[in-house]
Every structure is written in C-alpha cells, then in structure tokens.
Amino acid sequence: DIVGCCSFCCATCLSSLNCQQSCHSKDSVFFRDGVRRIDFVLSYVDDKDSERKQERRKVYEANLEKVGLELETEDKSESEDGKTYFVKIHAPWEVLATYADVLKIKVPFKANDIPENNDIPMNWLSTPFRLPEHVMHPEPDYFTAPFNKSKSDFFLIDDKDTFFPPSTRNRIVYYILSRCSYFKDECGDKKGIKRLLNNGTYTAAFPLHDSRYWKRSRDANCESERYSLYKYWARFLCFFKEQPLNLIRKYYGEKIGIYFAWLGFYTEMLLFAAVVGTICFIYGFLTYDDNQWSKEICSEEVGGSIVMCPLMVGSKYQQINFSSSHMFFAIFMGIWVTLFLEFWKRRQARLEYEWDLVDFEEEQQQLQLRPEYETKCTNRKLNRITQEMEPYLPITNKCARTCLSGATVLFWISLIIACIIGVIAYRLAVYAAFASIMKDSPTNKLQVVGPYITPQLATSVTASCINFVIIMILNLMYERVAVWITDMEIPKTHLEYENKLTVKMFLFQFVNYYSSCFYVAFFKGKFVGYPGKYAYMFGEWSKLRNEECDPGGCLIELTTQLVIVMTGKQVWGNIQEALVPWMMNWWGSRKARNHPESLYSRWEQDHDLQGFGQLGLFYEYLEMVIQFGFITLFVASFPLAPLLALINNVIEVRVDAWKLTTQFRRPVAAKAHSIGAWEEILSGIAILSVVTNAFIVAFTSDMIPRLVYMYAYHSEGEMSMKGYINNSLSVFNISEIPQTKKRDYGYVFSSVLIYDYGGRSAHILYSSKRDHVVFVVKFFVAWMIPDVPSDVRARVKRERYLVQEYLHNYEVEKHLNLNVIFMAFHSLCCYSAEDNQHLL
C-alpha cells in the first residue's frame, strides 16, 4: 500500500509538472523553471554525417559548465522547422561577480547627491519634443566604482538576480564564450565561439530581445524595454522627438548609445547650416536678375554680340552663360564645422560622466586580446606591465603582412583612378555626339527648360550617373577585400582592429566618392591649351581634347556631380538598410507567423531575424562621415547640400532605430567612451574643407575676377560692375589658326572671344588670405571652447573624492569589526570553561 501510494503521488506530481510546462508560454526570456534568465542562446542543426561537430559541441558545452554557466537545451522536435536545436545559457551570480571583477565593470555604491541644474531659459518651448521621464531616465543616478567581488557588501546590491542589467550579463557571457576551448587538450587555436560559427558547428549565437517590439511581454518580471524603444523611438512619427539615449545605452550598451548620440547631435547642428544655406540659395536666386554682369550677359548689346571659342573640335561657337558662387556660405561652413566638433566634444564628455566612462581607458581594452590574435600567435613573450607571458606577432611577420595590406589598398585606389579616367574619356567621346544629336532637338523649343538642356548638361548628367554606378560596384567589392586584409594583419585588440579597418575603408571611400568631384573642381578646364594648339588627353592622335568648363566656370557641373552622387548614395543607402533586412526576415519567418504566440518561442523569433554583426555600426559611421565630407568639402558649390543631408538624417535616425529594434537580433553590448578614430577623421575633413572651399571660390568660380574688377578696374571712378564682361574676355582672330587646324564650326566669324587667363596671382593671393583668416578664426574658436564643461569636471572630482572616502571608511570599519571579533575571541580564551559557558 505504501509503495502504491508513493507511485501514485509521483505520477501525480509528474503530470502536474508536465501540465505546468505545457501551459508555460515559450515567448519568455527565462528557463523552463521561470526563474533563471536566459543570457545567451546558441543554435545548431544536428548533422549526423559530421561527428567532429558533435564532439566539438559536447566538449565546448562541458567546458562552459565547468566555468559555471548553466545550460538548458531545447530539442529539435520543439523547434518550428523540426531541425534546429537551441542551447540556452544562464550566468549565475558567482560567474557574474567573478567576471565583473575581471572586466572592472562599474556598479553603483551610493545615490548621486549632486543637484541637477534644470533651470533652462524658455524650457517650456521644448515640451512638444520631450519624452516621458521613465523613458528618458529609466534608472536612478548613482555614484559608481569598479566592482570588487571581495567587497560585494560595499555596493548597493538589493537583488542579485537584477543587480547586473541584461546588457552587462550578455557582455560577460560573450566574453566567456569567446575564450572557451572546444578541444579536450586545450589546444591554443581551438577556442572561441567565432571559430565554431565559422566552421558550422553552431549556426548562430545571440542574446535575446526581452519582448516582441509591438507589445509588452506577459511576464511581469520582464522589462519590455524593446517595446518602449519601438514605441517612443523607432517609429517614424517620432521624428521630431528627442532620443531616449539612456534607455538605448541600457538596452544595447554604450557603443551603440554613443553612435545615436553623435548622429542626433550631428542632425541638430545641420539644422543651422541648412537654414543659412537655404537663405543664401534663395537670396542668390532672387537677386539673379539684379546683378550688373547678369544684365550685360542678357542684353543684346553685350551678351548678344559675344561669341565664345568652341569647347571642342566639331562643336559650335557658343554664347556665354552665367554661374554664381557663395563665398559667404563657404566661410560660414568653415566656422560651423569647428563649432560642431568642439560642441560634440563637450557633449561627449557629459555622456562619459553620465554613462560611467570617465575612467574607461583604452589600456583596459589592451588587456582584452582578440581571441583570433591569441589563437593565431603561437609565440610568447613577457609583458613588462603584467609580468605574464602573452602571445605576440614577430616583427618580420608583422611587416610582411602590413606591406601586403598597403599594396592591396594602393592597387584598389589605382583601380578607382583608372575608372575615373575612363569616365573622363567617356565625356570627351560623347560630347560631340550629343552636340550633333541635340542640334535640331525638339527640346530646344521648350519655353522654360529648353535653353538649359545643352550638350554639356547631357554629358555631365550621364557621366555622373555612370560614375555613381561604378562607385557602388567598387564599394561592394572592396568591403570584402578590406575585411580580408585586416584579418590577415591579425590586430591585437578589438580597438586596433576597428581602427585599422576604419583607415582602410575611409581611404578607399574618400578616393571613390570624392575623386570625380575633385577632378571637376580643380583639374577640369585647367589644361586645355589655346586655339590652334589645344591639349589632348591621350595625344593628338586620339582627337580627345582635354575638357573645358563652361564660360561661367565649372561650378554648375560640380553641383550636378555633387547632387547625383550624394543624393543617389543616400537614397540607395536608406532603401538598402530598410528593405533588404525586412524582405529577408519576411521570407525567413513566413511559416512561423501562423503559429500561436505560446508556441513561437522567444529564441526562435530572434533566430529568424538578421544578425547585426560586429561591423554593423562601422558601416553606419562610414555612411555619415562620407556625407559629412560632401557637405563640407564642396559646399561652396551647392549651399543646399546641408538641407539634403538634414532631411536624410532625420529619416536615417528612425530607419536605423527601426531596423535595430525590429529587424535585427539584439547585439552583444560593448563599451566605448567616444566615436573612436572617426573623430580624428572628422577633424581632418574639417581642415581640408577650409582649403577646398577656398580653392573652389578662387579657381572654380568667378568671384575673384569680379572683386578685382570692382576694386581695381571699375570705370568712371565708381564702384560698379559695368563693363565687367568685356573686361574679363580677350579677342582672338580665328584667321590666325593654321589652315590644317581649321574645321567647319557651323558659323563664320573674323574673331571670337576667349577668357583672359591673367590675374591668377590675384586668385592665389585671395585664396591664401581667406585660408589664413578662416584658419585663425577656426583655431581661436576651438581654443575658446573647453572640451569638458565646468559642471561635468566638478562632478567627476566629486565622484572620485566620494569613492576614496567611502572605500576608506569601509576598510576602517571592516578593520574595527575584525579587531572586535579578535578581542572577543581572546577574552573567551582567558576565561574558564564554566565562565565561557555562562558568557555564551
């Protein structure tokens, strides 16, 4: 009877447990017990033909358990496709505390007692742009210190299960996964989750999102921060709202938080540049007909009687046209870019303090070697700082790899230049064809746009489109090459890896995107020769004369090139970023969408999303920095460039937020105290932009000849531009052209007008003076604005003082408690057994 009763009770308990598990929703971030949180998930497809993969997984998971991690496996029969296994990983307190000590993760020890200064003038104006307080500040502000496991009672630990946020937990687990061996003999190069993903042992490794993005989790213990991010940040209707940077940092980590902080700040600063640029453009458009030189060009007496030399053999003599420049806006942008960089440094310093990154030094990262470096470098040497043996790459090996890498980059840059030369040859070859085709074209009869549809414009537009296509094709090819040669160099740390890749990619992109604009701005029309002895691109036999600019300069063509390349890149980039992940996710999860929520598990939902990748953020920075170059290097030719960039960035912020929240798996959290090497690149572009805009004003536009004429050659002793057009041109008698060089141009004149190429010294003198003035203002502004705000500096000092004081008091109190215990024990030893019993 007793045995029968026990058997019945056991069967009842098992039945109850099975019922509880079946009723438990799989859309959860906890183990089956509903207590232990899932910090990471590994997935794999059981390949019966590969015993080596099975052995690797067995050893790897056993080693993870030795470290202290807890695993729970979901059988393939429970998965949607019936083939995929999921290994859920939980890090208990002991593991988290140990590695938080190793990684020097900062945790709170005291509430922040420094009052906030919220007395901002006209603060009520920003009310429509604000988000709720619980979204902007999801957790209280604390003073923090690096975690020390031996002093855990020093910190504010209310609940060990929630003390470390999910982003910190998945960062610690990934650190362990990256260094755990999958061979029994602890072979040096047989470790790390990256190698297991590359050789197909596992198909994916990722931390979990905490809920579905369109609704909260049913589990009360789940934060549902993903839902809050989508509701208040990732939707496009929130484009005018501020970004919840603290929540982004808490959910995704500091590295992604810094990127969105920089992107938001850059977009805000673009607003000022866009307003001024639009005003300059509208002013130039409205005053177009009021300019004296414009009236002379349009008048029958002056402009109607002027005929210019043909641009190339086979084309007609041409009427002079007009192109304006924007010197004021170029000077303004030289100052704007300085203010942008200096104010960003201040904003970044504030974020460093608020996000506990003040003492986050790169030296800490140097201690965290890349797993690939540890496995591929078999040589060992003594580290003078840590006094431990560590892997290293021999100098000869390193030099050989660097030389090969440099040669590869130079080859690809040469390939870009060859493509640009090909586009130039296309321009020269098709211009005559367009001229003959458009001679009697119906477009000439159009009332408004007819005069603007010229062979020059047709050639420029088609060449720009071809150049854009070439740029995008070369980008796709070079991205793979850049990653390959960076891997070949075997960088020591993640920081070094990213910096090396950043330099290679930006150098290539700089040449790829800007070379055509540099050609039009500074080289086109500068080496053309003169009537009767023109310069040819490949020699006179090729009959391809070097390109000339329009009589008004190359500014219009530079603007065309800039608009097509910049706008095309932005539109294509946003379509590619949003559409491609959405299409792939839609196709990948088409079967699972019909399943009930309780059966479509949280890990399967995330598994069907796209992986963000270690370099996902790198490409976002690269896209924005290339755009920054467009709006600063050539802004003198197109004042509306900042406006186009502003519109794009307003969309870009929400597109990036949407795809990160809805279309990608949750990235592994990573720390970063700045935007890294991109800050130096932006500073370099800022300095270069002063020079390029000065040269555009001086050489590509006709601003300087106008100023020289107005101040030195004006007629009748008054400051006017009367007679400027005639003064800027010279007469050339076409009868002086050798008989062998003559062609039938379609008109017969005794003389034509050509540009007077004198006065280059005035161009150079003005350009030099303007450069010096803008540089002086730029460096003066940078010197006047401190990089760290005074209140932030005071808070940092206050926190460091409190850390020292509290640690001192903690050690003293601990020492006193030990003394009391020792004295009590000593007193007990001095009494007799009966007295001790009485005392006890």
PDB file of all heavy atoms in Angstrom, residues 587-600:
ATOM      1  N   TRP A 587      10.696  36.613 -45.485  1.00  0.00           N
ATOM      2  CA  TRP A 587      10.796  35.320 -46.146  1.00  0.00           C
ATOM      3  C   TRP A 587      11.192  34.216 -45.156  1.00  0.00           C
ATOM      4  O   TRP A 587      10.680  33.104 -45.214  1.00  0.00           O
ATOM      5  CB  TRP A 587      11.808  35.398 -47.279  1.00  0.00           C
ATOM      6  CG  TRP A 587      11.972  34.110 -48.031  1.00  0.00           C
ATOM      7  CD1 TRP A 587      12.988  33.214 -47.941  1.00  0.00           C
ATOM      8  CD2 TRP A 587      11.062  33.578 -49.004  1.00  0.00           C
ATOM      9  NE1 TRP A 587      12.795  32.146 -48.780  1.00  0.00           N
ATOM     10  CE2 TRP A 587      11.603  32.333 -49.455  1.00  0.00           C
ATOM     11  CE3 TRP A 587       9.845  33.999 -49.530  1.00  0.00           C
ATOM     12  CZ2 TRP A 587      10.973  31.554 -50.407  1.00  0.00           C
ATOM     13  CZ3 TRP A 587       9.206  33.209 -50.478  1.00  0.00           C
ATOM     14  CH2 TRP A 587       9.778  32.004 -50.902  1.00  0.00           C
ATOM     15  N   GLY A 588      12.106  34.530 -44.235  1.00  0.00           N
ATOM     16  CA  GLY A 588      12.592  33.527 -43.296  1.00  0.00           C
ATOM     17  C   GLY A 588      11.560  33.088 -42.280  1.00  0.00           C
ATOM     18  O   GLY A 588      11.589  31.950 -41.807  1.00  0.00           O
ATOM     19  N   SER A 589      10.633  33.984 -41.919  1.00  0.00           N
ATOM     20  CA  SER A 589       9.656  33.648 -40.865  1.00  0.00           C
ATOM     21  C   SER A 589       8.254  33.445 -41.430  1.00  0.00           C
ATOM     22  O   SER A 589       7.268  33.527 -40.692  1.00  0.00           O
ATOM     23  CB  SER A 589       9.621  34.779 -39.820  1.00  0.00           C
ATOM     24  OG  SER A 589       9.223  36.004 -40.417  1.00  0.00           O
ATOM     25  N   ARG A 590       8.140  33.173 -42.732  1.00  0.00           N
ATOM     26  CA  ARG A 590       6.812  33.070 -43.360  1.00  0.00           C
ATOM     27  C   ARG A 590       5.983  31.927 -42.787  1.00  0.00           C
ATOM     28  O   ARG A 590       4.767  32.030 -42.669  1.00  0.00           O
ATOM     29  CB  ARG A 590       6.962  32.928 -44.877  1.00  0.00           C
ATOM     30  CG  ARG A 590       7.684  31.664 -45.320  1.00  0.00           C
ATOM     31  CD  ARG A 590       8.057  31.723 -46.803  1.00  0.00           C
ATOM     32  NE  ARG A 590       8.674  30.478 -47.272  1.00  0.00           N
ATOM     33  CZ  ARG A 590       9.929  30.147 -47.048  1.00  0.00           C
ATOM     34  NH1 ARG A 590      10.707  30.966 -46.346  1.00  0.00           N
ATOM     35  NH2 ARG A 590      10.414  29.005 -47.507  1.00  0.00           N
ATOM     36  N   LYS A 591       6.654  30.801 -42.403  1.00  0.00           N
ATOM     37  CA  LYS A 591       5.918  29.659 -41.862  1.00  0.00           C
ATOM     38  C   LYS A 591       5.538  29.871 -40.402  1.00  0.00           C
ATOM     39  O   LYS A 591       4.439  29.535 -39.983  1.00  0.00           O
ATOM     40  CB  LYS A 591       6.756  28.379 -41.997  1.00  0.00           C
ATOM     41  CG  LYS A 591       7.018  27.951 -43.428  1.00  0.00           C
ATOM     42  CD  LYS A 591       7.845  26.672 -43.457  1.00  0.00           C
ATOM     43  CE  LYS A 591       8.125  26.232 -44.892  1.00  0.00           C
ATOM     44  NZ  LYS A 591       8.964  24.993 -44.928  1.00  0.00           N
ATOM     45  N   ALA A 592       6.467  30.443 -39.637  1.00  0.00           N
ATOM     46  CA  ALA A 592       6.265  30.560 -38.193  1.00  0.00           C
ATOM     47  C   ALA A 592       5.233  31.619 -37.827  1.00  0.00           C
ATOM     48  O   ALA A 592       4.723  31.621 -36.707  1.00  0.00           O
ATOM     49  CB  ALA A 592       7.586  30.886 -37.506  1.00  0.00           C
ATOM     50  N   ARG A 593       4.911  32.522 -38.751  1.00  0.00           N
ATOM     51  CA  ARG A 593       3.960  33.591 -38.410  1.00  0.00           C
ATOM     52  C   ARG A 593       2.573  33.061 -38.100  1.00  0.00           C
ATOM     53  O   ARG A 593       1.773  33.722 -37.435  1.00  0.00           O
ATOM     54  CB  ARG A 593       3.893  34.601 -39.565  1.00  0.00           C
ATOM     55  CG  ARG A 593       5.074  35.522 -39.650  1.00  0.00           C
ATOM     56  CD  ARG A 593       4.795  36.675 -40.594  1.00  0.00           C
ATOM     57  NE  ARG A 593       4.572  36.243 -41.952  1.00  0.00           N
ATOM     58  CZ  ARG A 593       5.534  36.092 -42.864  1.00  0.00           C
ATOM     59  NH1 ARG A 593       6.782  36.359 -42.531  1.00  0.00           N
ATOM     60  NH2 ARG A 593       5.258  35.679 -44.093  1.00  0.00           N
ATOM     61  N   ASN A 594       2.263  31.873 -38.599  1.00  0.00           N
ATOM     62  CA  ASN A 594       0.936  31.305 -38.365  1.00  0.00           C
ATOM     63  C   ASN A 594       0.832  30.574 -37.031  1.00  0.00           C
ATOM     64  O   ASN A 594      -0.259  30.148 -36.653  1.00  0.00           O
ATOM     65  CB  ASN A 594       0.585  30.340 -39.506  1.00  0.00           C
ATOM     66  CG  ASN A 594       0.536  31.052 -40.845  1.00  0.00           C
ATOM     67  OD1 ASN A 594       0.093  32.197 -40.917  1.00  0.00           O
ATOM     68  ND2 ASN A 594       0.995  30.379 -41.904  1.00  0.00           N
ATOM     69  N   HIS A 595       1.951  30.430 -36.321  1.00  0.00           N
ATOM     70  CA  HIS A 595       1.929  29.695 -35.056  1.00  0.00           C
ATOM     71  C   HIS A 595       1.376  30.574 -33.934  1.00  0.00           C
ATOM     72  O   HIS A 595       1.564  31.793 -33.934  1.00  0.00           O
ATOM     73  CB  HIS A 595       3.338  29.254 -34.685  1.00  0.00           C
ATOM     74  CG  HIS A 595       3.851  28.179 -35.609  1.00  0.00           C
ATOM     75  ND1 HIS A 595       5.062  27.561 -35.409  1.00  0.00           N
ATOM     76  CD2 HIS A 595       3.335  27.616 -36.734  1.00  0.00           C
ATOM     77  CE1 HIS A 595       5.273  26.683 -36.383  1.00  0.00           C
ATOM     78  NE2 HIS A 595       4.232  26.707 -37.188  1.00  0.00           N
ATOM     79  N   PRO A 596       0.728  29.967 -32.935  1.00  0.00           N
ATOM     80  CA  PRO A 596       0.296  30.739 -31.760  1.00  0.00           C
ATOM     81  C   PRO A 596       1.504  31.315 -31.018  1.00  0.00           C
ATOM     82  O   PRO A 596       2.607  30.786 -31.090  1.00  0.00           O
ATOM     83  CB  PRO A 596      -0.432  29.695 -30.902  1.00  0.00           C
ATOM     84  CG  PRO A 596      -0.756  28.580 -31.829  1.00  0.00           C
ATOM     85  CD  PRO A 596       0.308  28.563 -32.866  1.00  0.00           C
ATOM     86  N   GLU A 597       1.254  32.386 -30.307  1.00  0.00           N
ATOM     87  CA  GLU A 597       2.347  33.056 -29.585  1.00  0.00           C
ATOM     88  C   GLU A 597       3.002  32.126 -28.575  1.00  0.00           C
ATOM     89  O   GLU A 597       4.223  32.138 -28.395  1.00  0.00           O
ATOM     90  CB  GLU A 597       1.793  34.295 -28.868  1.00  0.00           C
ATOM     91  CG  GLU A 597       2.842  35.024 -28.039  1.00  0.00           C
ATOM     92  CD  GLU A 597       2.236  36.198 -27.298  1.00  0.00           C
ATOM     93  OE1 GLU A 597       1.247  36.764 -27.780  1.00  0.00           O
ATOM     94  OE2 GLU A 597       2.768  36.546 -26.228  1.00  0.00           O
ATOM     95  N   SER A 598       2.215  31.293 -27.918  1.00  0.00           N
ATOM     96  CA  SER A 598       2.764  30.421 -26.881  1.00  0.00           C
ATOM     97  C   SER A 598       3.692  29.356 -27.447  1.00  0.00           C
ATOM     98  O   SER A 598       4.499  28.791 -26.716  1.00  0.00           O
ATOM     99  CB  SER A 598       1.621  29.751 -26.104  1.00  0.00           C
ATOM    100  OG  SER A 598       0.816  28.980 -26.991  1.00  0.00           O
ATOM    101  N   LEU A 599       3.595  29.063 -28.769  1.00  0.00           N
ATOM    102  CA  LEU A 599       4.432  28.037 -29.385  1.00  0.00           C
ATOM    103  C   LEU A 599       5.620  28.624 -30.148  1.00  0.00           C
ATOM    104  O   LEU A 599       6.596  27.925 -30.399  1.00  0.00           O
ATOM    105  CB  LEU A 599       3.591  27.171 -30.334  1.00  0.00           C
ATOM    106  CG  LEU A 599       2.438  26.383 -29.700  1.00  0.00           C
ATOM    107  CD1 LEU A 599       1.701  25.584 -30.760  1.00  0.00           C
ATOM    108  CD2 LEU A 599       2.977  25.456 -28.609  1.00  0.00           C
ATOM    109  N   TYR A 600       5.511  29.880 -30.552  1.00  0.00           N
ATOM    110  CA  TYR A 600       6.605  30.534 -31.285  1.00  0.00           C
ATOM    111  C   TYR A 600       7.528  31.181 -30.261  1.00  0.00           C
ATOM    112  O   TYR A 600       7.315  32.284 -29.805  1.00  0.00           O
ATOM    113  CB  TYR A 600       6.030  31.575 -32.246  1.00  0.00           C
ATOM    114  CG  TYR A 600       7.020  32.094 -33.274  1.00  0.00           C
ATOM    115  CD1 TYR A 600       8.128  31.356 -33.667  1.00  0.00           C
ATOM    116  CD2 TYR A 600       6.812  33.332 -33.874  1.00  0.00           C
ATOM    117  CE1 TYR A 600       9.007  31.832 -34.614  1.00  0.00           C
ATOM    118  CE2 TYR A 600       7.688  33.818 -34.828  1.00  0.00           C
ATOM    119  CZ  TYR A 600       8.785  33.065 -35.191  1.00  0.00           C
ATOM    120  OH  TYR A 600       9.664  33.543 -36.141  1.00  0.00           O
TER     121      TYR A 600
END
